[in-house]
């Protein structure tokens, strides 16, 4: 059965009312704003009541660099939550929301798979509770207000050539990357060059995910720099006097969403920045709520530990006020063989040589996470074609790094397939966690970039394009260069070259531009060819989707 | 108190759970998909169960041409529903959903006003149940799939210069009217000229509002013409093989939304095409549901009787399978004085001369609606500055046309201020209604346009631009010219010149283009300077909006 078939079989028969799921965490029906019977937002009143609750333990799930072979990080995260529940733990999951762009494109949904899924999977993968749409609406309303400011006399002296704020859609649409707008004469705007990002790449998504509450959201929105004047002075949302309107559009989107896994484990799904082009972590509010209501909160960060993992540790934890007590790195024998040079169509076959070579990728990620002083566990997400010898090799290779590696079969078996992993994670939670930041908070942007390139990516050097140097000067002039850096980089390699698999060394990372995101409170560092608006493939997933006359959806995966 | 203050006072104290409102109509909690405690969608199961229920009586509320003086059509519609309930009638309201564009711009919300409002007004005026966002998402996903088709080899031989499908946002953004996309080289799309409409102007909005069920929605989507090949052959959504995906995105949006008035009258708010640039009526499904659950369904059509009214009668009723039993035309003394030449700042002063002159506008609309053979009632929405002499003049002038005119004070008094109107409407429902279409269904497009221009607008002639003639030839070649016509025209005048107030005659309507909308099943006739993407004013309403730390919204009106 496919993921959607498994999910639908469950949804029809076994999904519990969301009020029951909430009750297991001590939340009353009045604490919820229900969206249908199986989805709910947590009310401001409930969030306020929880404000001073102590935190449980925090488990961060991350992974090796993704490959076309598949790793299954969300699946393992869900399965681990279910397994911990089976072990009698009060475990709560906190994931990101899927983006419609990749759902319609190639990647598909982001609700886990097999018997380790969050449900209702169709709703979560499509419009869910409308958070992405509220963000798109806020991003594009702000853009319209900026262009209207130009149109109506430009009192702020905004330079149309230096507007940073781009429009956004939650769609993979390469044709919108570079556009000219405002054509058609004086009644139809000021012509200028601009473009669209995918919504998850927009600063407002990062702002929503880092905001501690509605008041903080408003402050963050007010300080977003939308562009510069002709004198190169920054112009903010506050200067445009639209902070209130933009915050208002996100009033409901900031509330964490609650759903359940197939095994009825509570799961918060909230916020969805991509980790290659944004900071890659679900919302601070959702993670906090999971930490306040659960004894163990399990959360994931996007893509590999070089992207989402690093950003979780360096960008999110200072805001969250909590560092992980354990880090789980998800890997598969298939993906490591691919990293070691096996072709996609050869991954079914045992190949210990390729596995040994590709292990370098996992090893680097293990050592990277160990630098932060947090206990690490490796989860080997087992595929049917994996051989015992391959898995045994990986377990032993991890042991040499003083790391427990355990196989998990949560796709096929749900929580029951993750009990060994749960036990290993529980053991790791008894080990001491001495979180040590990788860099000083007040280091310069260049110094932070160099630290990440050397200590995480394993590179030798950083090269800056002329545009990046100009931007860095502007950033220094404005005294923003103490901010954390959020590196936009390909997810496929530790380097900025998508084709350099395994654990490359000696490379130089090329920085094209550095963009201040004052609302999010970080600097986005654009490297290599990474794009903030994906494209659709030759055969988009959309071509295989359908809905019948009764509303039953098929082809979503 | 402002509208939002009145609404908020009620919301906090008196709003009933939506399950209770549904229960008054015989719907169980299981028939609802709740969005919070006070909003719900009606499930497919409930809609199916109702399918063979007989219809109650249908009251259509329309108005004179809108002016800056304000008419209050939604307010009167809500107040009339409340008044009919006070008279012991099982009355149900069916309105359109507000669009965020005008909410942020100048017009404000569309939930009525004063004590004749639907609530929760903030939710309804903002993201509501996500219908507009689902539509935007579907419109732009289809556009991305079209551009991706060009990018990935263009197997259908689509001519990039002849793509009809435009992107959409639910925002007033003049800078997006005319754009160039696909710039930036071969990896970023095929460069071409295109633009964005406001979502409510998109064909998908019309499709959603005219679809009888999910199966019909799918058929309508499949036949949408997105453009032409280099050989000028039409290319449809079915040709692109994405009918399933686009329908899937609208699976929930097609379900009618239920809310309540301040007096707990059930109100369906569903679908929101503008009547100047689209067909201007709420969804067939919502109106039908109101007709099936109520003894009297009260619905409105957008802008004046020349736009929404005509389109309701000529486009919607054939699909709905029901013609109105009574038509209410809303007018104000203020607006008629403005039509008669009074300046905006003089409307507070009694001016019987201007009123007599401006009455020509109301008279034309009364006579227009009478042509259809349906009883007409005039609702005079009373403002505090209106004098008794002015209202008496209007009542007498209407009586000469054999039409009952009654004053209503629903803004100030709620349903109690609409009891006379309710009585007049009840009386009109006892009169015979002999609906007569204005034109033969199989008449040519040109003939239909001429009929509307002469019999509704009062014009003398129609002039076609070269582009319109080319389009009409293509339409005739494809045998689409028997379809109904949906005229896009300024709402401010009976003519296509916004400045020609009153009841102009002898004018020529200028047709710029005729665009086939095969999904909606009509031809859009673009006249005068009407724009399908509005702009923001010098001081957009957004500048005055705010939300406090508890989530309370202000400045929305």
């Amino acid at each position: 059965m496919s993921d959607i078939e498994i999910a639908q079989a469950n949804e029809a028969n076994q999904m519990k009312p969301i009020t029951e799921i909430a009750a297991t965490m001590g939340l009353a029906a009045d604490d919820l704003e229900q969206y249908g019977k199986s989805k709910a937002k947590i009310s401001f009143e409930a969030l306020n009541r929880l404000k001073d609750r102590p935190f449980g333990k925090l488990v961060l799930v991350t992974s090796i660099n993704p490959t076309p072979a598949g790793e299954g990080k969300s699946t393992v995260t869900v399965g681990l939550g279910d397994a911990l529940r089976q072990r009698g733990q009060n475990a709560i999951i906190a994931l990101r929301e899927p983006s419609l762009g990749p759902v319609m494109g190639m990647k598909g949904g982001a609700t886990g798979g097999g018997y380790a899924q969050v449900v209702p999977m169709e709703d979560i993968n499509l419009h869910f509770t409308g958070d992405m749409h509220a963000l798109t609406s806020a991003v594009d309303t702000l853009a319209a207000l900026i262009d209207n400011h130009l149109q109506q006399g430009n009192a702020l002296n905004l330079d149309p050539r230096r507007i940073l704020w781009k429009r956004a859609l939650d769609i993979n649409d390469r044709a919108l990357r570079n556009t000219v707008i405002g054509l058609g004469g004086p009644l139809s705007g000021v012509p200028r060059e601009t473009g669209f990002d995918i919504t998850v790449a927009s600063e407002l998504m990062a702002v929503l995910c880092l905001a501690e509450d509605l008041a903080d959201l408003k402050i963050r929105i007010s300080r977003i720099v939308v562009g510069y004047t002709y004198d190169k002075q920054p112009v903010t949302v506050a200067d445009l006097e639209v902070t209130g309107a933009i915050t208002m559009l996100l009033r409901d989107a900031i509330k964490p969403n609650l759903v359940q896994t197939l095994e009825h484990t509570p799961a918060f799904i909230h916020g969805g920045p991509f980790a290659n082009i944004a900071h890659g972590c679900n919302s601070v509010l959702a993670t906090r709520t999971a930490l306040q209501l659960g004894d163990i909160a399990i959360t994931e960060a996007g893509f590999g530990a070089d992207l989402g993992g690093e950003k979780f540790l360096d960008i999110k934890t200072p805001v969250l006020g909590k560092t992980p007590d354990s880090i789980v790195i998800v890997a598969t024998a298939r993906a490591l063989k691919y990293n070691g040079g096996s072709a996609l169509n050869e991954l079914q076959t045992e190949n210990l040589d390729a596995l040994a070579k590709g292990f370098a990728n996992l090893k680097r990620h293990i050592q990277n996470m160990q630098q932060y002083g947090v206990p690490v566990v490796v989860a080997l997400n087992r595929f049917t074609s994996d051989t015992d010898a391959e898995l045994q090799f990986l377990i032993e290779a991890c042991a040499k790094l003083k790391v427990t590696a355990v196989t998990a079969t949560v796709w096929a078996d749900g929580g029951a397939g993750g009990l060994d992993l749960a036990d290993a994670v529980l053991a790791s939670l008894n080990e001491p966690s001495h979180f040590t930041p990788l860099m000083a908070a007040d280091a310069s942007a260049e110094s932070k970039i160099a630290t990440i390139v050397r200590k995480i990516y394993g590179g030798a050097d950083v090269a800056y394009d002329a545009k990046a140097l100009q931007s860095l000067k502007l950033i220094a002039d404005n005294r923003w260069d103490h901010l954390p850096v959020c590196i936009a980089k390909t997810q496929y390699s530790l380097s900025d070259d998508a084709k350099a698999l395994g654990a490359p060394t000696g490379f130089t990372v090329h920085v094209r531009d550095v963009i201040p995101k004052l609302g999010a409170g970080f600097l986005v560092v654009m490297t290599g060819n990474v794009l903030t608006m994906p494209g659709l493939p030759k055969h988009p997933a959309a071509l295989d989707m359908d809905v019948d006359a009764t509303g039953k959806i098929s082809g979503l995966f």
Side-chain angles (χ1 to χ4, degrees), chain A:
Chain A
M1 287 213 287
S2 70
D3 288 351
I4 190 172
E5 286 163 350
I6 293 170
Q8 284 174 341
N10 174 80
E11 283 162 30
N13 303 325
Q14 303 159 35
M15 202 157 37
K16 288 190 184 171
I18 198 64
T19 45
E20 272 186 46
I21 303 297
T24 67
M25 302 190 295
L27 291 178
D30 256 1
D31 294 329
L32 306 181
E33 293 170 8
Q34 283 190 248
Y35 287 68
K37 294 175 183 69
S38 51
K39 298 161 284 174
K41 284 189 167 284
I42 311 299
S43 73
F44 287 134
E45 292 73 20
L47 294 172
N48 278 335
R49 211 177 54 232
L50 294 174
K51 241 173 186 166
D52 298 318
R53 279 259 195 119
F55 287 162
K57 297 272 191 181
L58 178 61
V59 178
L60 170 66
V61 181
T62 180
S63 80
I64 58 171
N65 290 96
T67 70
E71 292 68 43
K73 188 176 54 198
S74 300
T75 305
V76 169
T77 305
V78 171
L80 173 59
D82 287 340
L84 285 166
R85 285 249 153 188
Q86 289 196 22
R87 285 291 189 238
Q89 301 292 325
N90 175 17
I92 297 176
I93 295 165
L95 298 174
R96 286 171 305 154
E97 301 182 48
S99 158
L100 259 176
V103 167
M104 291 290 168
M106 199 151 60
K107 179 177 180 291
T111 47
Y115 289 88
Q117 289 190 63
V118 281
V119 284
M121 80 86 94
E122 304 97 319
D123 297 36
I124 300 170
N125 280 318
L126 297 176
H127 309 294
F128 199 24
T129 58
D131 296 342
M132 291 285 176
H133 293 324
L135 278 161
T136 301
S137 184
V139 170
D140 294 333
T141 295
L142 177 52
L145 288 161
I146 292 167
D147 275 295
N148 193 56
H149 186 86
L150 295 179
Q151 172 77 11
Q152 306 283 359
N154 196 11
L156 290 171
N157 199 32
L158 197 52
D159 184 346
R161 305 161 307 173
R162 288 195 169 81
I163 291 174
L164 297 173
W165 194 254
K166 290 164 77 181
R167 286 171 176 78
L169 288 174
D170 188 22
I171 293 177
N172 287 9
D173 194 346
R174 75 179 80 229
L176 292 182
R177 280 178 196 152
N178 302 289
T179 64
V180 175
I181 65 167
L183 302 173
L187 296 180
S188 294
V190 175
R192 64 182 186 93
E193 209 179 321
T194 183
F196 288 66
D197 289 335
I198 188 163
T199 300
V200 291
S202 174
E203 181 172 4
L204 267 187
M205 172 58 92
V207 162
L208 187 87
C209 288
L210 291 169
E212 302 190 51
D213 53 27
L214 201 50
D216 184 36
L217 179 69
K218 202 166 172 177
I219 292 167
R220 288 174 176 272
I221 288 172
S222 73
R223 67 186 189 212
I224 289 173
V225 174
V226 300
Y228 299 96
T229 63
Y230 284 100
D231 315 321
K232 298 201 183 165
Q233 295 305 305
V235 175
T236 64
V237 171
D239 294 331
L240 287 165
E241 296 175 41
V242 295
T243 305
I246 303 303
T247 310
M248 178 190 73
L249 287 170
L250 300 175
R251 179 192 65 165
D252 295 319
I254 197 181
K255 300 171 190 164
N257 306 297
L258 178 66
V259 292
Q260 63 191 288
T261 70
L262 288 175
E263 299 187 6
H264 315 304
T265 302
F268 290 104
I269 314 243
H270 192 223
F274 287 172
N276 54 346
I277 50 185
H279 80 281
C281 306
N282 79 330
S283 79
V284 162
L285 258 177
T287 309
R288 267 196 198 163
T289 309
L291 283 163
Q292 286 158 332
L293 293 171
D295 295 326
I296 305 175
I298 306 119
T299 191
E300 66 165 359
F303 294 125
D306 54 328
L307 284 170
E310 183 272 323
K311 291 165 184 175
F312 187 95
L313 298 167
D314 292 329
I315 295 174
K316 180 170 171 179
T317 61
V319 182
L320 183 62
K322 170 76 185 157
T323 58
D325 299 288
S326 174
I327 296 176
V328 175
I329 302 177
V330 179
T332 60
R334 292 163 56 84
L336 291 173
K337 285 192 282 184
Y338 184 84
N339 261 288
S342 283
L344 254 186
N345 59 4
E346 291 167 358
L347 298 177
Q348 310 286 94
T349 322
E350 182 176 280
N351 185 338
L352 289 168
D353 285 348
L355 188 63
K357 221 173 135 203
F359 177 73
N361 188 265
L362 175 56
K363 183 178 173 183
R364 176 77 64 75
H365 287 297
I366 291 171
Q367 291 172 331
N368 282 349
M369 293 296 103
Q370 284 175 331
Q371 292 181 82
Y372 287 91
V374 180
V376 171
V377 173
V378 168
L380 300 169
N381 183 21
R382 183 163 195 163
F383 280 64
T384 44
S385 61
D386 297 351
T387 68
D388 289 342
E390 288 176 333
L391 295 168
Q392 197 51 41
F393 167 83
L394 291 173
I395 290 168
E396 285 166 17
C398 288
K400 283 181 199 154
L401 300 169
K402 300 199 190 331
V403 166
T404 307
V406 285
T407 58
T409 57
V410 294
W411 195 99
D413 303 321
L419 291 173
D420 291 347
L421 175 61
D423 292 338
V425 167
L426 287 171
S428 76
L429 292 177
N430 288 326
E431 289 174 41
S433 175
H434 303 292
F435 184 83
T436 321
L438 214 58
M439 54 201 123
D442 60 354
S444 72
E446 288 94 327
S447 150
K448 283 174 181 154
I449 295 168
T451 300
I452 294 168
V453 167
R454 294 199 182 108
K455 293 203 181 172
I456 301 286
Y457 303 165
D461 215 344
V462 187
Y464 292 89
D465 284 1
K467 185 164 186 198
L469 292 172
Q470 279 168 17
S471 296
L472 279 170
K473 185 177 175 314
L474 205 58
I475 284 164
D477 289 348
N478 282 288
R479 304 184 181 209
W480 298 328
D481 75 340
H482 63 284
L483 290 172
V485 296
C486 178
I487 301 187
K489 179 182 78 70
T490 176
Q491 65 267 38
Y492 297 115
S493 169
L494 277 152
S495 76
D496 63 346
D497 170 8
K499 297 200 177 85
L501 303 186
T505 53
F507 56 86
T508 295
V509 166
H510 299 270
V511 175
R512 285 192 290 118
D513 200 359
V514 183
I515 305 163
K517 304 280 186 182
L518 274 286
F522 54 59
L523 308 172
V524 170
V525 180
M526 303 293 297
T527 73
N529 299 316
V530 71
L531 295 162
T532 50
M533 173 55 100
L536 289 168
K538 178 118 189 150
H539 186 94
L543 270 62
D544 304 312
M545 294 174 182
D546 204 0
V547 57
D548 72 13
T550 69
K552 190 174 170 184
I553 286 170
S554 56
L556 198 64
F557 64 97

